[in-house]
Amino acid sequence: MNKTIFPVKEKINTREHYLKVKQYLPPAKIAGGILYHRGGTTHTRDDTDVELDFRQESNFAYLSGVEAAGFHIVIVLETDTIYLVRPDIPKMEQLWKGIPEPDAALLERYSVDHILLDTQLKQFLHHLEPTVILTLDITNIDHDIYIPIAFEKRINRDHLKAAIHEARLIKFPWEISLLRYAAQMSSHAHMSLMSYCGQKYRQGQRINEAELEARFRWICSKNGLSRQCYIPIIASGPRAAVLHYTNNDKLIPNNQHALVLADAGGEYRCYGSDVTRTFPVSTRFSDEAKAIYDIVLKAQNAVLARLKPGVFWKDMHDLVVHILCNELVKIGILVGEEEELLQLGVYRAFYFHGNVGLDCHDVGGKDTNIMENTRKGFPLHLLQKPLDENMVITVEPGLYFNNVSIDAWTKNPDYKRYFDMEKIDQYRVIGGVRIEDTVLITRDGIENFTIAPKQTQDIEALMH
Amino acid sequence: MNKTIFPVKEKINTREHYLKVKQYLPPAKIAGGILYHRGGTTHTRDDTDVELDFRQESNFAYLSGVEAAGFHIVIVLETDTIYLVRPDIPKMEQLWKGIPEPDAALLERYSVDHILLDTQLKQFLHHLEPTVILTLDITNIDHDIYIPIAFEKRINRDHLKAAIHEARLIKFPWEISLLRYAAQMSSHAHMSLMSYCGQKYRQGQRINEAELEARFRWICSKNGLSRQCYIPIIASGPRAAVLHYTNNDKLIPNNQHALVLADAGGEYRCYGSDVTRTFPVSTRFSDEAKAIYDIVLKAQNAVLARLKPGVFWKDMHDLVVHILCNELVKIGILVGEEEELLQLGVYRAFYFHGNVGLDCHDVGGKDTNIMENTRKGFPLHLLQKPLDENMVITVEPGLYFNNVSIDAWTKNPDYKRYFDMEKIDQYRVIGGVRIEDTVLITRDGIENFTIAPKQTQDIEALMH
């Protein structure tokens, strides 16, 4: 691992992030008000003493830059004075967990004004006597231990979250460098899966989905992406049609049609990536697989070519749907006039999720009722506002031969005449295809952070 | 990954495990009573839609064998009738998560009598009208949704947990095969770290602790150990003295004294392993490192040679302490008569944790106040009863040059005369050594599941 290639910057811009958040806070709350947020704490599994892997809560990571557990942040809004509150670790615990960093190092790295101990926090808040405490309502974070009961009525959970989400939507240059790095290294891990899979195929060795997941995590980790942004999806054969398949425990089929759909992205210092590649187990796309693959790629390329500030998500969604529908007619899976088919929404038998989502699903109308909206045909993660410079988004069209979905449409007497079952059976064997890139919206287009190949011939070349 | 070498058995002995647990339940509760336990459920991180990695709750895994989320188990104690309760997954969710296994497959694999849906559970319990519901008090598991309110007073959380823990202490042959496999594959991962580290040293390349953690996880995962039993400790240089160091993010020093202490074990189908190896970064132990290493190894070997049914944990602890103290006097770190030094406990400046713990810390007087007891000098995970055949335990002596600990002892005027500070400074640079094996207690001794080398010359050979 070459440490020097990591985009590490030791000084974190706590102040820059906070000042941006402050812009979105109601001015009436500033005088006498404070911002208070508690970072994540470590947990143990069930009733055991097995400590669970810790990952900082995202809003706290944004506000403070601190990736370790047990910290808090207090900011006096009027004076912009930032207090970082660190855990007071007893001497005996230091024996087991190590000596904490000195305050001087924390002050320097996080560019905050003061360091406090958590054991001093309650007293300190008493002393501050804030008129309002702007905070977040995050699961599993218990504020009561630290905020004096007398201040309970001054706690305001309405404004801070919206302000942070607004601030997080447009990325700072440093954030962009982290996101770029995460997507590029994840791309390398995807390329490694392709070449590894090809090598094993040529050696006549069968492999398990679990081995590909393990390899993906290893390539990410050794480049500093120690956590995954989400549970990887390594779906081979028919499982490629299951959008959130995460079992990753089946032997990979080695017939000529079989594909591996790998949807996985590593996370670097809490900044994620979201990448999907689909490749043929046998190192060559079958004719059917190539036909479906190229439709999805065409749809993705059409979107990528049009993305820029001012573009609306919904228009991109419509563009994808138009291309998919049109192409499905061409290869004979859908039967009828394109206009009517679009109107009826029958393409949703093969395409039932949104195509453009904000990276990590972090902001912009997060969907709390995924299934319900999918049923209604609404795409997920609907971003209402137009795209803007320095947003980071994903573009992820797909086509899926999912039996639950196909049955629901083709067995419905109102719709069955729009489907050619023989053609469906011919293509059903390939499972599904998704191609997903993480891209930055630039001044006049995009920078695609995702550098793993997408053309069928390039994938085949990498696998040989 | 060679699937065939995994000790997979598709039929799980739910009944065998349950009947063993039943032996430890109070007979008075059997008539009219049921056993009810809910398995783990999936969770999302903070207020995001990022699903966290799922790992079954251990007692549920023991009772049911089910590793997937959302299951329950109900057993009618009088008739030994076992009901496995599976989640009722709506059609639309199957679109995203896949079609669940048919009931026939579940009946066969888990050798239970009936399959129920969770949506039927409340009604079913009403119908059963149990006089007592024996269940567990496990964190994060909310029973109220499923147990009728009318039965609230019939819930008994006193007996089941003790019974399961008693049953889990002595392993079945199948459990032993899983534990053996987990420890053996973890041993291979440790060997891989040694040879990888040696290779990088010879190439003149510096590596980071994170890279070794990533490699350990990869070697485990590709052999089917998809989860770690605990957060790996990859502690290099001075960090080897910090017992629960898990940051694993520092560049590994490459001086002649530097050691890597790797405490990590993979988990196979919820059955874990716990292995520690300590090896020299420069591929050769320095004289000081070898001296300390050999003391620890001598202590471990002494214990391993004596373990068998009937042996008391406490006697093994005393044996280790005796050897460590004696040897620390020999090399001049401790000064005085061994008897007096033992009495004073001054060896605890360098040895401050227990040496024999039950695997995964799963049963046998689990210590809820680790720090307090460490301060008092009590070893951890104190097993009160004598060892017995088919227990699986770990043996993990260590010596640590931890500044917090050394300062506490050597700056105390009552104790400072027992320490030679010049000698301590000579050895302090090596950080710490721990050697830990997972072993099975057999009829007349042990089977050591841990097959990674321990002799300094064997480690050096592997690194060359």
Side-chain angles (χ1 to χ4, degrees), chain A residues 49-336:
Chain A
D49 63 354
V50 176
E51 193 175 316
L52 294 172
D53 234 341
F54 176 75
R55 196 270 195 191
Q56 187 57 280
E57 191 275 319
S58 294
N59 295 299
F60 191 81
Y62 185 80
L63 273 176
S64 72
V66 176
E67 291 178 70
F71 281 74
H72 311 236
I73 195 164
V74 177
I75 306 178
V76 179
L77 296 167
E78 224 170 328
T79 59
D80 301 329
T81 314
I82 307 178
Y83 298 83
L84 185 64
V85 184
R86 70 169 175 85
D88 187 6
I89 299 170
K91 206 79 177 167
M92 287 309 295
E93 220 169 295
Q94 295 179 18
L95 192 68
W96 290 74
K97 300 293 285 179
I99 298 169
E101 270 190 302
D103 288 357
L106 298 175
L107 281 170
E108 168 65 14
R109 170 151 2 99
Y110 299 108
S111 57
V112 295
D113 299 301
H114 304 283
I115 306 290
L116 293 176
L117 294 173
D118 58 0
T119 42
Q120 303 169 322
L121 180 55
K122 205 163 195 165
Q123 178 95 42
F124 175 69
L125 292 176
H126 253 305
H127 164 79
L128 273 185
E129 269 253 28
T131 52
V132 59
I133 300 172
L134 296 174
T135 191
L136 297 171
D137 201 7
I138 303 286
T139 322
N140 291 334
I141 295 187
D142 179 16
H143 288 148
D144 305 347
I145 317 165
Y146 298 98
I147 298 183
I149 295 167
F151 295 165
E152 207 179 321
K153 293 217 168 115
R154 306 182 197 182
I155 295 174
N156 178 313
R157 293 186 166 88
D158 299 334
H159 301 295
L160 184 56
K161 191 172 184 173
I164 296 183
H165 280 196
E166 201 63 41
R168 283 172 56 188
L169 191 55
I170 307 294
K171 268 67 178 176
F172 283 108
W174 182 58
E175 296 184 279
I176 289 170
S177 72
L178 298 181
L179 287 161
R180 181 188 291 114
Y181 183 75
Q184 286 180 350
M185 291 303 121
S186 298
S187 299
H188 281 295
H190 276 281
M191 290 157 75
S192 170
L193 293 197
M194 292 176 189
S195 56
Y196 186 76
C197 211
Q199 185 196 327
K200 292 291 172 185
Y201 181 79
R202 290 195 307 279
Q203 292 170 350
Q205 286 178 31
R206 298 289 295 277
I207 52 175
N208 189 293
E209 294 163 351
E211 185 166 358
L212 292 189
E213 178 182 339
R215 189 170 182 88
F216 191 90
R217 289 179 182 264
W218 148 244
I219 303 291
C220 282
S221 295
K222 73 175 195 145
N223 289 307
L225 280 54
S226 53
R227 273 185 302 270
Q228 293 295 303
C229 191
Y230 49 95
I231 300 175
I233 297 168
I234 310 289
S236 65
R239 293 167 289 280
V242 179
L243 267 67
H244 282 183
Y245 172 81
T246 53
N247 289 0
N248 308 343
D249 60 357
K250 302 292 184 300
L251 200 60
I252 294 176
N254 59 357
N255 67 68
Q256 56 148 339
H257 293 296
L259 298 174
V260 173
L261 185 158
D263 184 347
E267 184 178 273
Y268 183 67
R269 304 190 68 178
C270 296
Y271 282 83
S273 60
D274 195 348
V275 176
T276 308
R277 286 295 180 267
T278 307
F279 54 89
V281 179
S282 69
T283 78
R284 294 277 176 215
F285 286 89
S286 70
D287 291 345
E288 286 81 358
K290 183 169 162 47
I292 299 301
Y293 188 94
D294 281 342
I295 293 174
V296 176
L297 185 58
K298 185 176 186 176
Q300 200 210 29
N301 282 333
V303 171
L304 293 176
R306 280 166 188 77
L307 288 177
K308 63 178 179 182
V311 163
F312 278 89
W313 188 97
K314 194 188 167 308
D315 294 334
M316 295 300 99
H317 178 72
D318 290 347
L319 175 63
V320 164
V321 159
H322 167 78
I323 293 171
L324 296 182
C325 192
N326 192 20
E327 298 290 329
L328 287 172
V329 170
K330 275 194 207 161
I331 63 170
I333 284 178
L334 291 182
V335 181

Side-chain angles (χ1 to χ4, degrees), chain A residues 315-371:
Chain A
D315 294 334
M316 295 300 99
H317 178 72
D318 290 347
L319 175 63
V320 164
V321 159
H322 167 78
I323 293 171
L324 296 182
C325 192
N326 192 20
E327 298 290 329
L328 287 172
V329 170
K330 275 194 207 161
I331 63 170
I333 284 178
L334 291 182
V335 181
E337 289 304 309
E338 198 203 319
E339 202 57 36
E340 189 189 0
L341 298 172
L342 272 176
Q343 192 70 29
L344 291 168
V346 291
Y347 59 85
R348 283 192 273 129
F350 310 102
Y351 175 68
F352 40 94
H353 70 130
N355 71 315
V356 184
L358 275 169
D359 182 54
C360 308
H361 307 169
D362 57 358
V363 276
K366 196 171 62 211
D367 202 323
T368 50
N369 194 349
I370 289 180
M371 292 316 301

Side-chain angles (χ1 to χ4, degrees), chain B residues 113-223:
Chain B
D113 300 301
H114 304 283
I115 306 289
L116 293 176
L117 294 172
D118 59 359
T119 43
Q120 304 169 322
L121 180 55
K122 204 165 197 165
Q123 178 96 44
F124 174 70
L125 291 176
H126 254 305
H127 164 80
L128 273 185
E129 270 252 27
T131 53
V132 59
I133 301 173
L134 296 174
T135 191
L136 297 171
D137 201 6
I138 303 286
T139 321
N140 291 333
I141 295 189
D142 179 16
H143 288 148
D144 306 346
I145 317 166
Y146 297 98
I147 298 184
I149 296 165
F151 295 166
E152 207 178 320
K153 294 219 167 113
R154 305 183 197 180
I155 295 175
N156 178 313
R157 293 185 166 88
D158 299 334
H159 300 295
L160 183 56
K161 191 171 184 172
I164 296 182
H165 279 196
E166 201 63 39
R168 283 171 57 187
L169 191 56
I170 307 293
K171 268 68 178 177
F172 283 108
W174 182 58
E175 296 183 280
I176 289 170
S177 74
L178 298 181
L179 287 161
R180 180 187 291 114
Y181 183 75
Q184 286 180 351
M185 290 304 121
S186 297
S187 300
H188 281 295
H190 276 281
M191 289 157 76
S192 170
L193 293 196
M194 291 176 191
S195 55
Y196 186 77
C197 210
Q199 183 195 329
K200 291 292 172 185
Y201 181 80
R202 290 194 307 280
Q203 293 169 351
Q205 285 178 33
R206 299 288 296 275
I207 52 174
N208 189 295
E209 293 163 351
E211 185 166 357
L212 292 188
E213 178 181 340
R215 188 169 183 88
F216 191 90
R217 290 179 182 264
W218 148 245
I219 303 292
C220 283
S221 295
K222 72 174 197 148
N223 289 308

Side-chain angles (χ1 to χ4, degrees), chain B residues 132-335:
Chain B
V132 59
I133 301 173
L134 296 174
T135 191
L136 297 171
D137 201 6
I138 303 286
T139 321
N140 291 333
I141 295 189
D142 179 16
H143 288 148
D144 306 346
I145 317 166
Y146 297 98
I147 298 184
I149 296 165
F151 295 166
E152 207 178 320
K153 294 219 167 113
R154 305 183 197 180
I155 295 175
N156 178 313
R157 293 185 166 88
D158 299 334
H159 300 295
L160 183 56
K161 191 171 184 172
I164 296 182
H165 279 196
E166 201 63 39
R168 283 171 57 187
L169 191 56
I170 307 293
K171 268 68 178 177
F172 283 108
W174 182 58
E175 296 183 280
I176 289 170
S177 74
L178 298 181
L179 287 161
R180 180 187 291 114
Y181 183 75
Q184 286 180 351
M185 290 304 121
S186 297
S187 300
H188 281 295
H190 276 281
M191 289 157 76
S192 170
L193 293 196
M194 291 176 191
S195 55
Y196 186 77
C197 210
Q199 183 195 329
K200 291 292 172 185
Y201 181 80
R202 290 194 307 280
Q203 293 169 351
Q205 285 178 33
R206 299 288 296 275
I207 52 174
N208 189 295
E209 293 163 351
E211 185 166 357
L212 292 188
E213 178 181 340
R215 188 169 183 88
F216 191 90
R217 290 179 182 264
W218 148 245
I219 303 292
C220 283
S221 295
K222 72 174 197 148
N223 289 308
L225 280 53
S226 53
R227 272 186 304 270
Q228 293 295 303
C229 191
Y230 49 94
I231 301 175
I233 296 169
I234 309 289
S236 65
R239 294 166 289 280
V242 180
L243 266 67
H244 282 183
Y245 173 81
T246 53
N247 289 0
N248 308 344
D249 60 356
K250 302 293 185 299
L251 200 60
I252 294 176
N254 58 358
N255 67 67
Q256 55 148 339
H257 293 296
L259 298 174
V260 172
L261 185 159
D263 183 348
E267 184 178 273
Y268 183 67
R269 304 189 69 178
C270 296
Y271 282 84
S273 60
D274 196 347
V275 177
T276 308
R277 287 294 181 267
T278 307
F279 54 90
V281 179
S282 67
T283 78
R284 292 278 175 215
F285 286 90
S286 69
D287 290 345
E288 286 81 0
K290 183 168 162 46
I292 299 300
Y293 188 95
D294 282 341
I295 292 173
V296 176
L297 185 57
K298 183 175 187 176
Q300 201 211 30
N301 282 334
V303 171
L304 294 176
R306 280 165 188 77
L307 289 178
K308 63 178 178 182
V311 164
F312 277 89
W313 189 95
K314 195 191 166 307
D315 294 333
M316 295 300 101
H317 178 72
D318 291 346
L319 176 63
V320 164
V321 160
H322 167 78
I323 292 171
L324 296 182
C325 193
N326 193 19
E327 296 290 328
L328 287 172
V329 169
K330 273 194 210 162
I331 64 171
I333 285 178
L334 290 182
V335 182

Side-chain angles (χ1 to χ4, degrees), chain A residues 425-436:
Chain A
D425 287 338
Q426 182 189 340
Y427 287 98
R428 197 196 286 262
V429 286
I430 68 150
V433 169
R434 176 162 66 252
I435 309 171
E436 177 180 30

